[in-house]
Amino acid sequence: MDYKFAIDLQNVHLSLEGNAGPVGILHSIDLQITQGRSCALVGPSGSGKSSLLMVMAGLEQATSGRVTVLGEDISAMSEAELARFRRGRVGVVFQSFHLIPSMTALQNVATALELAGEPNPLDRAREKLTALGLGHRCDHFPKQMSGGEQQRVALARALAPNPKLVFADEPTGNLDAATGASIVDSLFTLAHEQADTTLILVTHDLDLARRCDRIIDLHDGKISESNGA
């Protein structure tokens, strides 16, 4: 499919139900992100960064407005349709890893590949884990690994299907500085190795944000500044 923008948001609003009624999270968001670029979402806590990422990833449905991702309008898709849309095309890395505890590292990565239709998921999973220095951890369960190793497994799982979009929500938030820096290096290296992959990450770390092609600053659910193409 031919499209210029990996992400195209038109007048997007997001409200979530609170104890006292609807709470406005995102307000009148207009945003276009060019395919193949890296983009950082920054701003104070509660500014809407993670919510914006969730809307772009199809993990949260906008209350109103149009959300076009990889050339498809996902605004009105059902949960099942969104899951099918993301499969093999969208990879997500969370702060808290979200690995399946009853599966080994190899199985966690291979499951994502199998869902994406990869014909040799175990071989591909082992290859990706080895590239991240985890070849010796393939048969280990998450509880047997350090936080940094678990996040590398999460990276392998997100990137192994060669998605066109990679989202990372504070991927180093639970890690020490040295481990976090190593994870970030791996994230950028793997994303750049995959042709035409768009990387979008949420971070409080301005040094990390500056490694991206573009920085988008959010305040009170609105884009206050956007630098880069």
Side-chain angles (χ1 to χ4, degrees):
M1 181 177 293
D2 186 27
Y3 49 86
K4 180 179 179 181
F5 298 117
I7 302 288
D8 188 357
L9 307 183
Q10 302 288 336
N11 196 29
V12 167
H13 293 253
L14 175 66
S15 297
L16 299 177
E17 199 63 35
N19 293 332
V23 177
I25 307 297
L26 299 175
H27 311 281
S28 303
I29 299 289
D30 290 305
L31 176 64
Q32 292 77 41
I33 298 176
T34 304
Q35 183 69 36
R37 308 290 278 174
S38 56
C39 178
L41 305 179
V42 303
S45 296
S47 60
K49 302 184 301 296
S50 292
S51 294
L52 179 57
L53 180 146
M54 296 285 278
V55 167
M56 292 191 288
L59 295 169
E60 186 75 65
Q61 198 158 41
T63 306
S64 63
R66 182 179 177 121
V67 180
T68 304
V69 180
L70 300 177
E72 292 193 38
D73 184 354
I74 68 169
S75 308
M77 286 186 181
S78 66
E79 289 296 325
E81 289 170 333
L82 285 168
R84 285 194 295 270
F85 170 77
R86 288 192 299 268
R87 195 171 298 158
R89 289 191 279 187
V90 176
V92 185
V93 182
F94 295 101
Q95 179 177 335
S96 53
F97 317 142
H98 288 298
L99 300 177
I100 300 171
S102 60
M103 289 186 174
T104 64
L106 185 67
Q107 291 167 335
N108 264 280
V109 179
T111 297
L113 286 162
E114 189 172 6
L115 289 171
E118 169 66 39
N120 300 299
L122 288 173
D123 291 342
R124 174 70 175 159
R126 192 178 301 276
E127 175 187 316
K128 186 60 72 172
L129 286 167
T130 299
L132 283 165
L134 291 174
H136 64 300
R137 291 296 207 182
C138 286
D139 296 324
H140 287 70
F141 294 93
K143 67 180 180 181
Q144 297 173 310
M145 294 182 283
S146 68
E149 287 173 331
Q150 290 184 63
Q151 190 62 299
R152 287 184 187 277
V153 175
L155 272 181
R157 181 181 59 186
L159 292 164
N162 293 324
K164 286 296 182 185
L165 268 171
V166 176
F167 295 94
D169 191 358
E170 293 283 4
T172 63
N174 285 335
L175 305 173
D176 62 74
T179 304
S182 177
I183 291 293
V184 166
D185 286 342
S186 296
L187 175 62
F188 276 90
T189 296
L190 290 172
H192 289 153
E193 283 176 354
Q194 297 175 184
D196 218 22
T197 295
T198 302
L199 172 63
I200 300 170
L201 61 89
V202 167
T203 184
H204 284 96
D205 185 341
L206 290 181
D207 287 334
L208 171 55
R210 292 187 189 103
R211 293 183 62 172
C212 295
D213 300 315
R214 182 177 181 186
I215 298 176
I216 296 171
D217 198 353
L218 279 88
H219 286 268
D220 298 323
K222 297 179 181 180
I223 294 175
S224 62
E225 187 174 349
S226 180
N227 300 315

